[in-house]
Structure formats: structure tokens, C-alpha cells
Amino acid sequence: MKKVNGDLLTPISIFQRLQGRHKFLLESSTKYEGNGRYSFIGVNPRKTYRGQDEYLQDISHLTNKSYQYDGELISLLKQVMPRVSSHTEFPLTGGGIGYINALPKSLPAMQFHVYDTLFIFDHLTDEIAVFHTNIEAEQVEPNIDALIEQLFAGHTPIETDYLLHSLEKSATNRYDAKFSGDAFSLYRKLRIQHAAAYMYYIEFDECTVIGTSPTSSIQIRDGELSTTNTEASIERFCEENSIHQAEQIQHGKLLSTFHAMDVVKELQPNEGLIGYIGFNGQVDFATPHSMITITGDIAQLYTATNDGEVPFHTLIKGGL
């Protein structure tokens, strides 16, 4: 890990200056001080795990080899996700960024890019930490100084625009629209119009996913579990695992016998999850609230609200 003063940059400018594929940005609006200290940025993942039905595909971007495993998807993900013990000030220093059962059924049911190098922006100190975790024996470690040089010597790309129009309702709380232009420009507009404690931009092969959510649904940090799941779900989880104090599971110390992914499997909500699984065993997932998936020239817009108002109307006009 290496830290540098980053007061001349922002998470947006860092994202724009990084070169490569499958970029992501996880951040929080500064309006939500409890969640917004760190922003996480990454590019060029080492692996991708893609799951559908009972088949999990393990794709190595280093060797261009692919493997397939059969079974329940979350259980398989628990087995294949690299686990590296680390004790740092950061909740995430590398791991899987993606979703579980959160996107339209035409897309994979589960997908995670695995990043071994992260750029972490600390909004409290204006420092940038570049953190690398070696998860493959044959891998050559990156030149962290060269990565930092890319941030400060690089130029922010010329701003581009987008068009989003012809909004039509396709299902309950889902809308279809025509899209063209730059997806990141749309995200920049979304993060202003729908600012929230959880905001994300993730590039997959099939689509780009952007969105915001007001709260975390399942978070495990330093052995502490917080969840917004219903009491009935928590009670059932405790009963099935012979745990006698459900209130301790809702917000308290997680028993050491439980793996984070076991908890995610049991408490995942029907709306799905989007967020991260850290190499260090920590997880943080939100449920989709205001989310857009862009596939080719089609954007699908999802809102968790059902107040009769057409969502995202401020985005339909296009432009920054």
C-alpha cells in the first residue's frame, strides 16, 4: 500500500484518468457523513465470477482460461472467492464487486469482478491509498508508483454527453428507455439528482450498472453484522442455526462460526443485492433503489418507490 496527498483530485477525476476495462466506482454522497468517508475505484479485474441457474463460471483475465462449477451459486462463490486476512483502516482493500439477483432476468443472476488493486479516496484526509493484494502466484505485482503517476500526470477526458428518451413502463417499478452516449455522464447526473448513502457505477461485459440506494441491506464489518432484513427473516435464520438471541444478529457481534457469505445466503432480500465482498471477509450490500442497467442502446430503469410519479424524469432530458 502507498498513500499520497490527493487534495487536487476527486473520485470522479480518478475514475476518469484510469485506463482499462471493467471500471467501477463505489461512493457515498457527502450528505451522509456516517457512510461517506471512503470512495473505492478499480479497473482491470483479475477474475470474473458469473453465475446463472446452478452454474458458476470462473474467468481468469490473466490467463484467459475459464472454469465452470456446478451447485448453489452463493455457496460456490464462497468457495472460490480469494480470502486474505488483513487488518487495515479500510473496510475494503480488494475483493469482488458485483450483484446477486438484482438485475433483469435477461442478464446473469450473479456476477462479480475481482479486483486485486484498489484506489481508495479518503474524504476526511484527502489522501489516496493505492492497495494491492497478490491473489495469484504467477502474477507480477503492479508498479504502484506508475499507477499514482497515471493519476497526477494524466488528463481528465473531454466531457461527453448522453441521451435518454422514450420512457415506457415495462413492469412494476421498471421502465425502458432509448440510450446513447456516455454511461458515466449519466451516472454523474444520477449521483446529483438521486444522491444517497450508497452510489455505484460498475461495467460488465453485458451491461453497465449505475444506481443509488439510501441504506445498506447487509453489512459485516470487523465481525459486526448490521441488516435491514425483517425480524421474521432474522428469527428464521437464528432458528435454523440454533442461535437464541436474534437481536444480537440484527445489529451486533456475529458468531465466529459463520462465514459472511453464509449470512448473505440466508438473509438476501427478494430485491437482490449489489455491493462488495472483501478479501478480508467483510461485506457491504445495498438493495437496488434507483438503478439503471444499460445494454447496448436500451436502458432499463428501476425504482423501489411506488408513489405514482415517473422516476428519473430529470434524467430523461439528457445532458449534464
Side-chain angles (χ1 to χ4, degrees):
M1 180 187 71
K2 187 169 185 177
K3 289 184 178 181
V4 294
N5 181 10
D7 61 357
L8 295 176
L9 297 173
T10 67
I12 295 294
S13 63
I14 292 172
F15 178 94
Q16 291 177 316
R17 294 182 181 196
L18 289 179
Q19 302 297 314
R21 300 181 65 233
H22 300 132
K23 297 166 73 174
F24 85 89
L25 169 61
L26 301 181
E27 58 177 344
S28 177
S29 170
T30 54
K31 298 176 183 178
Y32 301 89
E33 296 179 359
N35 298 285
R37 177 168 181 177
Y38 301 112
S39 293
F40 303 97
I41 309 101
V43 65
N44 297 327
R46 288 296 171 184
K47 285 178 172 287
T48 295
Y49 299 124
R50 183 182 297 128
Q52 187 68 38
D53 299 323
E54 294 188 348
Y55 302 97
L56 182 70
Q57 188 179 16
D58 178 347
I59 304 166
S60 171
H61 300 297
L62 183 65
T63 63
N64 291 321
K65 293 182 179 178
S66 177
Y67 307 90
Q68 183 169 298
Y69 308 98
D70 300 343
E72 196 278 324
L73 292 181
I74 297 181
S75 298
L76 292 173
L77 186 63
K78 169 188 170 183
Q79 296 173 29
V80 300
M81 178 67 69
R83 184 73 181 267
V84 181
S85 297
S86 63
H87 300 280
T88 73
E89 63 199 277
F90 307 110
L92 176 66
T93 56
I97 310 296
Y99 65 88
I100 301 171
N101 296 320
L103 302 193
K105 294 186 181 300
S106 58
L107 297 169
M110 181 176 75
Q111 195 162 192
F112 284 86
H113 291 318
V114 180
Y115 297 85
D116 58 3
T117 303
L118 281 191
F119 297 81
I120 306 170
F121 190 94
D122 188 334
H123 293 269
L124 182 63
T125 64
D126 281 336
E127 286 185 317
I128 300 171
V130 184
F131 204 105
H132 173 75
T133 304
N134 194 357
I135 60 173
E136 294 180 322
E138 66 270 30
Q139 177 185 339
V140 177
E141 293 186 6
N143 185 331
I144 290 183
D145 289 327
L147 293 175
I148 293 173
E149 179 72 13
Q150 184 182 140
L151 298 183
F152 289 93
H155 297 285
T156 301
I158 298 175
E159 289 195 10
T160 55
D161 211 337
Y162 74 90
L163 291 175
L164 187 68
H165 54 86
S166 301
L167 191 67
E168 297 179 359
K169 194 164 187 177
S170 60
T172 303
N173 294 349
R174 288 189 184 273
Y175 298 80
D176 291 341
K178 286 287 187 178
F179 175 84
S180 62
D182 180 36
F184 194 64
S185 293
L186 175 58
Y187 169 74
R188 292 177 62 193
K189 187 74 173 288
L190 178 71
R191 71 192 289 275
I192 295 173
Q193 299 293 339
H194 294 264
Y198 289 80
M199 303 189 295
Y200 49 87
Y201 174 101
I202 312 172
E203 297 175 350
F204 296 104
D205 284 336
E206 304 89 351
C207 67
T208 297
V209 183
I210 66 177
T212 68
S213 295
T215 60
S216 173
S217 178
I218 300 175
Q219 181 187 88
I220 299 174
R221 185 173 295 178
D222 297 325
E224 301 284 338
L225 168 65
S226 297
T227 178
T228 57
N229 276 269
T230 64
E231 289 188 16
S233 298
I234 298 166
E235 291 284 356
R236 184 181 67 254
F237 173 68
C238 293
E239 181 179 344
E240 292 174 351
N241 292 280
S242 301
I243 301 172
H244 301 295
Q245 293 178 308
E247 64 274 11
Q248 291 184 3
I249 297 300
Q250 185 166 12
H251 188 80
K253 199 71 176 177
L254 183 67
L255 301 179
S256 60
T257 53
F258 289 107
H259 190 285
M261 293 310 297
D262 291 330
V263 179
V264 171
K265 178 182 175 181
E266 294 296 332
L267 295 183
Q268 62 169 320
N270 294 331
E271 300 88 344
L273 298 168
I274 191 160
Y276 69 74
I277 306 166
F279 293 146
N280 54 10
Q282 303 190 138
V283 304
D284 200 351
F285 285 106
T287 55
H289 187 270
S290 298
M291 183 178 71
I292 303 174
T293 60
I294 301 170
T295 306
D297 63 350
I298 298 296
Q300 287 194 309
L301 302 89
Y302 170 84
T303 175
T305 62
N306 193 19
D307 55 9
E309 181 182 352
V310 176
F312 310 121
H313 64 280
T314 57
L315 304 176
I316 300 302
K317 301 175 184 178
L320 292 174

